[in-house]
Amino acid sequence: MAFTATLLSWAILEYGNNMKQLDELQNARDSLKWITDYLINAHPSPNVLYVQVGDPELDHKCWERPEVMEGKRPLTQINTSYPGTDVAAETAAAMASASLVFRSIDSRYSKLLLKHARQLFSFADSYRGSYSISIPQVQSFYNSSGYGDELLWAAAWLYHATGDYLYLRYVTIHGNSFANWGTLTWFCWDSKLFGTQVLLSRVNFFGSNDIQGEENIALQLYRKTAEAFICGLLSKSSSSEKSHRTEGGLIWVSEWNALQYTVGSTFLALLYSDYMLTSHTQSLYCDGELYEPNDIRDFAITQAGADYVLGSNPMNMSYLVGYGSKYPQYVHHRGASIPTYANTGCTDGFKWLNSTNPNPNVAVGALVGGPFLNDTYIDSRNNSMQGEPTTYSNAAFIGLLSGLITTSSLVESFI
């Protein structure tokens, strides 16, 4: 949920004017504030953060609408004895980025978010440890691969939100340990390195005139790694790129929630193309080929991103529920699958999970997990691998679509 907030904040900051054209900006802000209000309440003191409500094992044994749940909902927290650097740092990033969104419209709320962001970052950095080690029961569901990327990601957002040189210094010094410069990693809820690279490339593009020495070199390394990843996406001769494409052209990394990698990567590539456009950077050099900003934008639309997701694919199906004439009818979603009139307890609701009828409630706007490597999709409610929507994939897709509303977006500085 914190990652969702960070992505949604970034989308608003970069493409809020595009959202405003379609009268969606306020909806985006309201959705963001719903999350940040929750996160504020989940952070009652500097070194305590509630990171989970419910028990994943017990919850998966129930199929009922969330409005009528009556089972136990235990709270799980991280603290100095049971640290969770990854989730605390991501929540800091969410608070810092959201503080920028609300700065001009609710300064008091913005300052409150920034206070929480600073405290959470200090907590995350001072008491290091992975939340999935402190809380072993989450390992079967959302196991963390490490926390270094989240620390850099949070520090980068705090630098944007505060202008405090200490945070720039942090990503410089700790980049040697955590940035994996030159190593390409896919952007997802568990890995923020590509996002950090693009975010700090923004500083290199627009705010580095007065930055010298080690910090300037570090920004160049972040940008260089971001460019290498984008080149890997664009280059037709890249063996690594080919191994991450379906025959239909979709960026594909994992059979679990495949589209999170697609929409995340294309959103970041689109952002980078707009940074190039705004800074009058004419082209990106990739293995003997030159790519202009419009080439990257076209890639985000037609080659591997938005068009495929919205129906230009071998299944001729939109993976955005409610969009187009053909979309998933059996989304793995409790609220969508159970009729509003039904009175179900914890276990008798499974008849709706196993029902052969389409969902009675359409989860309009939900982005499902997406296709297999062979471009196929099995529309079954029990197929959570492909049919389960997630808030963080939706947030990245909002950013991607918002950036594509106009033929070219000239980003404004939020530093």
Side-chain angles (χ1 to χ4, degrees), residues 29-333:
R29 287 171 175 164
D30 290 345
S31 295
L32 177 61
K33 191 172 185 296
W34 189 93
I35 301 173
T36 52
D37 283 350
Y38 176 91
L39 296 178
I40 287 171
N41 287 329
H43 183 226
S45 60
N47 295 334
V48 173
L49 178 67
Y50 287 94
V51 298
Q52 181 175 273
V53 179
D55 181 304
E57 294 289 346
L58 293 177
D59 291 349
H60 277 74
K61 296 176 181 177
C62 291
W63 194 266
E64 56 187 335
R65 290 188 294 120
E67 296 88 346
V68 297
M69 293 180 68
E70 295 182 351
K72 293 182 178 180
R73 304 292 288 163
L75 300 178
T76 303
Q77 66 170 238
I78 55 172
N79 50 46
T80 57
S81 299
Y82 297 93
T85 297
D86 28 28
V87 67
E90 180 59 66
T91 308
M95 300 287 206
S97 57
S99 75
L100 286 163
V101 172
F102 294 106
R103 178 171 291 173
S104 63
I105 54 179
D106 190 340
S107 60
R108 183 177 179 180
Y109 188 67
S110 175
K111 290 176 182 176
L112 177 62
L113 289 170
L114 199 53
K115 174 185 175 182
H116 282 277
R118 287 181 180 273
Q119 289 180 347
L120 283 164
F121 181 77
S122 177
F123 169 43
D125 192 38
S126 300
Y127 298 91
R128 293 186 182 180
S130 174
Y131 95 111
S132 53
I133 292 177
S134 295
I135 312 167
Q137 61 265 35
V138 305
Q139 292 177 8
S140 298
F141 301 93
Y142 282 90
N143 190 42
S144 175
S145 62
Y147 54 74
D149 55 322
E150 278 87 9
L151 285 171
L152 296 177
W153 172 245
W157 275 112
L158 277 160
Y159 177 67
H160 279 79
T162 66
D164 191 331
Y165 185 81
L166 289 175
Y167 294 113
L168 181 60
R169 185 65 181 158
Y170 188 94
V171 298
T172 299
I173 295 174
H174 295 282
N176 294 321
S177 301
F178 301 139
N180 293 332
W181 287 314
T183 301
L184 310 184
T185 56
W186 293 96
F187 186 59
C188 64
W189 68 266
D190 184 41
S191 177
K192 318 298 165 44
L193 285 180
F194 185 30
T196 303
Q197 292 152 13
V198 172
L199 184 60
L200 291 174
S201 295
R202 196 186 211 287
V203 180
N204 187 253
F205 272 115
F206 306 121
S208 62
N209 288 338
D210 298 324
I211 299 173
Q212 304 295 327
E214 288 182 314
E215 286 73 20
N216 185 268
I217 294 172
L219 290 176
Q220 292 179 46
L221 287 169
Y222 281 110
R223 178 173 169 178
K224 183 178 180 180
T225 307
E227 290 181 344
F229 190 93
I230 294 170
C231 284
L233 296 176
L234 297 170
S235 177
K236 296 177 181 178
S237 63
S238 170
S239 60
S240 62
E241 179 268 345
K242 286 183 179 178
S243 68
H244 290 289
R245 289 291 185 91
T246 69
E247 287 294 324
L250 182 75
I251 296 170
W252 195 94
V253 179
S254 169
E255 60 188 7
W256 278 98
N257 193 12
L259 289 180
Q260 73 162 316
Y261 304 98
T262 307
V263 297
S265 298
T266 49
F267 170 50
L268 294 179
L270 179 67
L271 279 175
Y272 199 89
S273 73
D274 286 334
Y275 297 165
M276 291 174 63
L277 194 68
T278 304
S279 64
H280 305 290
T281 302
Q282 293 185 350
S283 61
L284 175 63
Y285 179 81
C286 302
D287 296 327
E289 298 284 341
L290 289 176
Y291 294 92
E292 297 179 357
N294 281 339
D295 295 325
I296 303 175
R297 174 173 284 268
D298 289 344
F299 162 82
I301 298 172
T302 61
Q303 292 187 38
D307 280 358
Y308 185 106
V309 175
L310 295 176
S312 295
N313 56 63
M315 295 288 292
N316 293 313
M317 180 176 72
S318 166
Y319 290 106
L320 189 70
V321 178
Y323 180 85
S325 59
K326 181 183 178 183
Y327 52 83
Q329 301 292 314
Y330 297 84
V331 181
H332 185 86
H333 187 285

